[in-house]
Amino acid sequence: VAAVALPPASACAAPVDAAPATATVPRVIDGDTVDVINDVRADCECVFGIDTPETKRPGYTEACRGGQATAFATTTLLNQRVAVIVDASQNAHDRYGRTQVIQTAMGNLSVLAAAAGAGRSHIFDSSHPPQRAREVAAAEDSARGAGRGLWGPPCFGNTDAQPR
C-alpha cells in the first residue's frame, strides 16, 4: 500500500473531548480502513485500533473472514455520519499515511468490531497503547471465547492471507 498524501490530522479529526458527528463515510476500503469526508471538505483515509483480515493485499488471497470484516464495516459505517476522534496517545498517521483514529458511529467502532469477531486488537506502538486498548481487548476476548466471527469456523483465529 502506498503512502497517501493527507491534510494535517487536525483537518480530519476532532480532539477526544469534542466528538460531534462531523464527517460522512462515502467508501469502505476494507474492515479497518474507510474514507471520510469532513464537513469542511477535508478528505481523509482513516484506520481503527483493530486489525481485520486482509481483502486487498496485492499478490495474496483474501484472508479467512476478510469479506465478513469488510461487510461489518460497510453495514456499520457506509454513508453514516460519524465522529472522527484522534487518540492523543497515538501518532497521527500510521506507516501508510492513514490518519489513526477512533472512528465512532454507534459507539466505538474498534470495540464493536472486536466484539463481533470482525477484527482483533491491534496496537501500532506497544510502548503507547491506545486509550481504548483494554476495551478492545476485552471485546476480543469475549468474541474469542464465544467463537464469534474470525474466532469461529473455518478460521479459528488464523486469518493469514496466502501468497497467490
Side-chain angles (χ1 to χ4, degrees):
V1 176
V4 180
L6 295 174
S10 60
C12 299
V16 144
D17 59 351
T22 61
T24 303
V25 177
R27 182 171 81 115
V28 173
I29 296 166
D30 63 18
D32 56 15
T33 309
V34 299
D35 283 337
V36 297
I37 300 175
N38 191 295
D39 290 348
V40 295
R41 303 300 300 163
D43 298 348
C44 304
E45 187 174 326
C46 300
V47 64
F48 321 122
I50 56 170
D51 186 35
T52 62
E54 296 294 332
T55 59
K56 296 180 172 113
R57 185 174 176 190
Y60 284 78
T61 61
E62 181 174 300
C64 186
R65 295 281 183 185
Q68 289 86 348
T70 300
F72 178 84
T74 300
T75 300
T76 306
L77 294 172
L78 187 62
N79 298 318
Q80 297 297 309
R81 298 284 297 158
V82 297
V84 180
I85 306 169
V86 170
D87 182 338
S89 71
Q90 302 299 295
N91 292 326
H93 298 93
D94 73 359
R95 65 183 178 182
Y96 302 114
R98 300 174 299 189
T99 302
Q100 291 195 61
V101 298
I102 300 170
Q103 185 91 1
T104 62
M106 303 176 327
N108 180 280
L109 184 72
S110 299
V111 174
L112 295 170
R120 64 181 81 225
S121 175
H122 183 72
I123 297 174
F124 295 97
D125 178 357
S126 61
S127 66
H128 296 95
Q131 292 174 353
R132 297 197 184 234
R134 287 187 180 150
E135 290 174 69
V136 175
E140 178 185 319
D141 288 345
S142 173
R144 186 186 306 240
R148 280 191 301 275
L150 64 88
W151 303 110
C155 309
F156 299 105
N158 181 5
T159 58
D160 294 335
Q162 302 301 312
R164 290 190 193 271

